Amino acid sequence: MASTRWAVVGAGIIGAAVAREILMRHDSADVTVFDKEDHPAAHQTGHNSGVVHAGLYYEPGSLKARLCRRGVSLLLDFADEHDVAVDECGKVVVATDEVEVERLAAIHERAQANGVPGLAMLDRDGLRGIEPHAEGVAALHSPHTAIIDYPGLTEALIADVRSRGGRIRLSTPVKDIRRKGRTGGGDAALVRTSVDAQEFDAVIVCAGLHSDRLAARSGEGRNPTIVPFFGQYFILEPGYDDIVNGLIYPVPDPKYPFLGVHVTRRIDGGLMIGPNAFLSLSREGYSGLGFNLPDAMSVAGNLGFWRFAAANMATAARELPGVVSIDRFVDAAAHYVPKLAGAGGRRATRGIRAQAMNRDGTLVDDFVIDRAGATMFVRNAPSPGATSALAIAEHLVETIEAEA
């Protein structure tokens, strides 16, 4: 490939994986990673549930479905090679009535189409054999769903990039990326920061929560726009650590756009419940009120959001009690793990999901990748983005190489 100077914007797990992928394919490549923070994995990568998703829910044939399954394999291999903590603890999706049993069967069918290994439909006794304290009439068991140290894995990716000669420029916000035509034909890209500007043969932008803003500043369309949703996590007291063996999820209700509160083991051995999903008035407000005026005004001026809100009042009504009351939050998990009723603990740092939204108020479901000259923008990479990160990196670099 003619491109030898590459830039990657963003040092989360996807950006780190992209930089490593380039250097693995091209020993002589010159790769620079830019990030506005002073450490990698500062945002979505460092504020999620730590789950390595198996691929149960995604539309067969979608990028999410394909890259999730490929991503799991690559992720676990890398973690094993670099001593990153992983626990293949398994997951059950629990149905508590006959309506949910029908939905669970549809999830099972979709997961099979996606090639998820080891799946089993369980009756009440089968569920108790896996999770003795779970209560339901049926469940879907995914034994290879895992938990992992995503920040630790990202640090290992960054270390690998450095060892292969890549440069990591932290505390260096990118202002914009401009197309630059070449005398002999073709495009280059000019990455402008607050202190300098550098020309690159190819740029891949993995800007997460700010993907729409950086694209717009670079002369590309604002849509899809990012609407941030926060997820609150609640870490239970240590006495509850052994209540569950793995991960326990409810059956998603199609009336709502998010999965619902679930019970999740932590890689440090603790137990947490969450996340809920509620509009965030800050793209980086991980604690306290989480209010940022420009971010809030951005949401308020987004017609697509108001269309979404009008169609999802029931969702807000379901999620609000868990935002204001820990007891209601715990009650949601106790619906299918009764021993958690009345559990105590503490609120953990929130996660904030970079959710792309269309003008009509619909959520963008699949990964979205746009190309503009020598620059590729990752416009939407929510869950299972972390699980899929190394496969996304393969896909992005292969796409650029094929179009060169």
Side-chain angles (χ1 to χ4, degrees):
M1 178 186 174
S3 298
T4 57
R5 298 198 70 219
W6 298 70
V8 179
V9 181
I13 189 170
I14 297 178
V18 168
R20 175 177 175 269
E21 183 69 22
I22 296 164
L23 288 163
M24 286 178 63
R25 289 170 178 263
H26 306 284
D27 290 340
S28 61
D30 183 302
V31 178
T32 302
V33 179
F34 296 88
D35 198 280
K36 69 186 184 69
E37 306 299 346
D38 62 3
H39 63 283
H43 295 292
Q44 290 182 112
T45 303
H47 296 86
N48 63 41
S49 61
V51 176
V52 180
H53 294 281
L56 272 63
Y57 307 105
Y58 316 123
E59 184 66 32
S62 65
L63 275 178
K64 275 189 177 183
R66 292 191 290 111
L67 298 182
C68 179
R69 288 303 315 146
R70 171 67 175 156
V72 170
S73 175
L74 294 172
L75 196 75
L76 296 182
D77 285 348
F78 180 86
D80 181 60
E81 292 167 6
H82 293 81
D83 296 321
V84 177
V86 181
D87 180 4
E88 199 173 77
C89 58
K91 164 181 169 177
V92 289
V93 183
V94 177
T96 58
D97 58 39
E98 291 306 317
V99 173
E100 290 186 347
V101 170
E102 291 183 14
R103 294 175 187 155
L104 193 63
I107 294 171
H108 184 207
E109 183 178 340
R110 179 172 285 194
Q112 286 181 311
N114 289 337
V116 179
L119 295 170
M121 288 292 291
L122 309 174
D123 59 13
R124 187 188 297 272
D125 290 339
L127 169 61
R128 286 178 175 166
I130 302 294
E131 291 287 357
H133 299 298
E135 184 62 45
V137 297
L140 175 62
H141 183 215
S142 172
H144 299 295
T145 296
I147 52 176
I148 197 168
D149 176 9
Y150 278 122
L153 189 136
T154 305
E155 291 282 2
L157 287 168
I158 290 292
D160 201 355
V161 170
R162 286 189 166 119
S163 72
R164 296 172 184 269
R167 284 183 298 279
I168 312 296
R169 293 187 60 182
L170 301 174
S171 302
T172 308
V174 172
K175 294 167 59 178
D176 58 35
I177 301 132
R178 295 294 172 182
R179 294 194 193 195
K180 186 173 182 182
R182 287 177 162 161
T183 305
D187 284 321
L190 190 68
V191 176
R192 302 199 303 171
T193 73
S194 57
V195 296
D196 62 5
Q198 294 185 59
E199 183 179 316
F200 295 92
D201 300 303
V203 178
I204 300 179
V205 180
C206 309
L209 286 154
H210 298 280
S211 59
D212 58 337
R213 291 176 173 172
L214 184 51
R217 292 200 304 268
S218 302
E220 304 306 315
R222 290 183 174 274
N223 289 291
T225 57
I226 295 297
V227 175
F229 289 87
F230 73 73
Q232 183 67 58
Y233 295 97
F234 187 60
I235 300 177
L236 300 181
E237 295 170 336
Y240 290 91
D241 287 354
D242 297 326
I243 291 291
V244 306
N245 296 318
L247 314 178
I248 306 180
Y249 281 51
V251 175
D253 189 330
K255 291 186 302 187
Y256 306 114
F258 302 110
L259 288 179
V261 170
H262 36 275
V263 183
T264 307
R265 295 210 63 80
R266 290 163 53 90
I267 199 64
D268 63 6
L271 191 68
M272 68 182 179
I273 56 176
N276 54 358
F278 207 77
L279 175 68
S280 177
L281 297 179
S282 170
R283 297 195 184 197
E284 299 178 9
Y286 300 112
S287 60
L289 294 176
F291 180 79
N292 175 278
L293 183 59
D295 290 347
M297 293 298 292
S298 176
V299 172
N302 185 336
L303 182 57
F305 166 73
W306 292 109
R307 289 170 173 157
F308 170 83
N312 286 277
M313 294 304 292
T315 300
R318 182 181 79 157
E319 298 293 331
L320 182 59
V323 175
V324 299
S325 168
I326 286 293
D327 291 340
R328 295 291 295 273
F329 197 59
V330 172
D331 286 347
H335 180 61
Y336 48 92
V337 187
K339 279 215 165 190
L340 294 180
R346 60 181 174 84
R347 289 183 186 268
T349 302
R350 296 188 189 107
I352 299 181
R353 175 189 180 109
Q355 176 61 60
M357 187 175 290
N358 295 312
R359 288 190 183 95
D360 63 3
T362 56
L363 301 183
V364 179
D365 187 53
D366 206 358
F367 299 147
V368 176
I369 299 160
D370 289 343
R371 184 76 183 269
T375 303
M376 182 171 282
F377 294 89
V378 179
R379 300 294 298 261
N380 190 51
S383 181
T387 300
S388 309
L390 275 73
I392 292 172
E394 275 188 345
H395 177 73
L396 295 173
V397 177
E398 286 173 359
T399 300
I400 286 183
E401 290 177 340
E403 295 175 359

